[in-house]
Amino acid sequence: MKIAEIIDHLETIAPPALQEDYDNAGLITGNAYWICTGVLCTLDATEAVVEEAKASGCNLIVAHHPIVFRGLKKINGKNYVEQTIINAIKNDIAIYAIHTNLDNIMAGVNNKIADKLGLQNRQVLLPKENMLMKLFTFAPTDHAEKVRSALFDAGAGDIGNYSECSFNAAGKGTFKAGGNTHPFVGEPNIRHTEDEVKIEVIFPFYLQQKILSALLETHPYEEVAYDIILLSNQYSNIGSGLTGELDEEKSETDFLAAIKKTFGLSVIKHTPLLQKPVKKVAVCGGAGSFLINKAKASGADFYITSDIKYHEFFDADGKMVIADIGHWESEQFTTELLYDILQAKFPNFAVLKTKTVTNPVHYFV
């Protein structure tokens, strides 16, 4: 199996188009057409992880964090990034990063955190806008179902927890085929009127080419009429952070104790407790200060994230408790998430979870 096959699967789960502008997800070292000898899943691709991959016979590292965020003008080993890249290249080890695109999907990093906390009724905290498009097309009545099904199979028609959503309106289309045409119905040079169905479906922007290919391959007309428009609607399944609810209310101290146990923490940095029960919880793996106000507006009792600066703790404003549990700690289960994704697809292939703890932060307790 080639590395490209593994990458293709990962990118059907978390398309690269969903990564943030500042990100550098994708294949960072190596060649997608190498034969893959094994996959090592990790949060960070450090030099120690490269050595572990080498020792384990894995020539592909799938990491959450890109080892290269910005362009490298020189690669001479002066820092850990360059040392890691040099080691990977010398040993023919590919490094693939799946970062904010995995953060931004409903089944991604934050969903794994919610699994560990047992949260129900999950919703994206900050859904993205300008991610959806709408296709309008017109098919002869007898072929409308075939066209509609092809569009659904290509990924159109998903709205929240509903799939195969479309709007259909009957009408009459007219056209006059030119002299050198072979019309599906009607005769050249004679205006024809046909009973047609107007089909409307929405789809995420990154599927546009796939949707159009499905339309053109299944539509019976030589010239297919269609319109595509960009929608400003929020995409409820794509975005930053996540909210959910506990099965049963907990006291703040009991919930803090549960967080500590679940994430294996020695300490939790948090804002003052409010002496009220905890039911609704917001989470954001990694640096989540940008979502404090959204978490507060959502009615969350607790917001679990990391990398909160001193003055940002004041933004809790007595409305919720912010718990900063550490960056590595908040995203540690991403290794397990990547392993589960790949193991489910390639059950008979060598997929491993790193044994290297890459957390650069330590606590003296």
Side-chain angles (χ1 to χ4, degrees):
M1 180 167 59
K2 293 181 179 179
I3 287 174
E5 295 176 60
I6 295 167
I7 291 175
D8 287 346
H9 178 62
L10 290 171
E11 293 184 351
T12 62
I13 304 293
L18 297 181
Q19 69 178 304
E20 302 294 338
D21 293 340
Y22 62 81
D23 204 3
N24 190 37
L27 189 62
I28 294 175
T29 66
N31 190 316
Y33 296 100
W34 288 346
I35 298 298
C36 187
T37 60
V39 185
L40 183 64
C41 301
T42 182
L43 185 64
D44 304 289
T46 63
E47 191 171 12
V49 172
V50 173
E51 288 295 326
E52 183 185 359
K54 179 182 174 183
S56 301
C58 298
N59 69 343
L60 173 61
I61 295 171
V62 175
H64 183 46
H65 295 139
I67 183 63
V68 177
F69 260 108
R70 302 171 186 84
L72 297 177
K73 293 185 178 180
K74 298 176 182 177
I75 305 178
N76 52 35
K78 69 177 182 295
N79 56 44
Y80 83 96
V81 173
E82 295 178 8
Q83 291 162 11
T84 301
I85 295 298
I86 290 171
N87 199 353
I89 292 173
K90 285 175 63 176
N91 289 287
D92 288 338
I93 292 176
I95 299 175
Y96 179 83
I98 180 167
H99 190 211
T100 52
N101 45 328
L102 190 63
D103 289 328
N104 283 330
I105 63 170
M106 187 66 178
V109 173
N110 295 308
N111 196 59
K112 192 66 174 178
I113 296 171
D115 285 345
K116 297 296 181 180
L117 293 170
L119 301 184
Q120 309 297 319
N121 304 320
R122 302 172 193 179
Q123 293 182 317
V124 172
L125 182 56
L126 180 60
K128 286 190 174 293
E129 298 178 347
N130 300 316
M131 302 282 288
L132 292 171
M133 309 189 86
K134 178 177 274 194
L135 168 72
F136 303 85
T137 191
F138 310 85
T141 302
D142 292 343
H143 287 74
E145 178 55 31
K146 182 179 180 181
V147 171
R148 207 166 26 239
S149 294
L151 295 174
F152 294 152
D153 289 343
D158 289 347
I159 301 177
N161 293 323
Y162 292 80
S163 61
E164 300 192 6
C165 302
S166 68
F167 180 78
N168 303 270
K172 293 186 180 294
T174 66
F175 54 84
K176 181 192 288 188
N180 296 322
T181 62
H182 299 87
F184 177 70
V185 289
E187 300 293 334
N189 300 313
I190 299 174
R191 186 202 300 162
H192 177 80
T193 299
E194 180 70 17
D195 289 334
E196 294 181 338
V197 175
K198 179 183 180 183
I199 303 170
E200 301 179 30
V201 290
I202 65 170
F203 60 91
F205 76 95
Y206 55 84
L207 290 180
Q208 180 172 341
Q209 191 54 53
K210 187 176 181 182
I211 298 296
L212 281 179
S213 295
L215 172 64
L216 298 177
E217 288 172 7
T218 56
H219 202 290
Y221 288 175
E222 283 185 307
E223 299 290 346
V224 181
Y226 65 87
D227 300 305
I228 294 178
I229 62 171
L230 179 66
L231 303 178
S232 60
N233 305 48
Q234 290 185 332
Y235 192 1
S236 60
N237 287 343
I238 299 295
S240 303
L242 182 148
T243 63
E245 296 178 342
L246 299 171
D247 280 339
E248 296 181 355
E249 291 182 349
K250 281 182 166 53
S251 71
E252 292 168 323
T253 52
D254 284 349
F255 188 53
L256 283 169
I259 295 171
K260 190 174 181 181
K261 180 179 179 181
T262 298
F263 292 88
L265 309 176
S266 58
V267 63
I268 300 176
K269 186 164 57 172
H270 63 84
T271 54
L273 302 183
L274 305 176
Q275 308 306 318
K276 66 177 187 179
V278 180
K279 179 68 173 177
K280 187 170 185 178
V281 178
V283 301
C284 178
S289 60
F290 70 105
L291 289 175
I292 289 175
N293 288 329
K294 288 297 296 184
K296 192 164 55 177
S298 75
D301 302 306
F302 250 75
Y303 178 38
I304 303 170
T305 187
S306 71
D307 299 351
I308 303 297
K309 296 179 181 179
Y310 173 80
H311 290 286
E312 292 169 339
F313 279 101
F314 286 104
D315 292 334
D317 200 26
K319 302 283 196 313
M320 67 179 181
V321 176
I322 298 174
D324 183 335
I325 65 173
H327 198 118
W328 182 91
E329 290 82 358
S330 71
E331 295 187 322
Q332 62 183 289
F333 302 119
T334 305
T335 298
E336 182 181 317
L337 171 64
L338 293 170
Y339 174 84
D340 290 345
I341 290 171
L342 293 175
Q343 188 65 29
K345 178 67 175 178
F346 308 107
N348 299 317
F349 193 71
V351 180
L352 307 177
K353 291 183 282 189
T354 184
K355 297 177 182 177
T356 304
V357 178
T358 59
N359 190 1
V361 180
H362 294 257
Y363 303 92
F364 180 76
V365 181

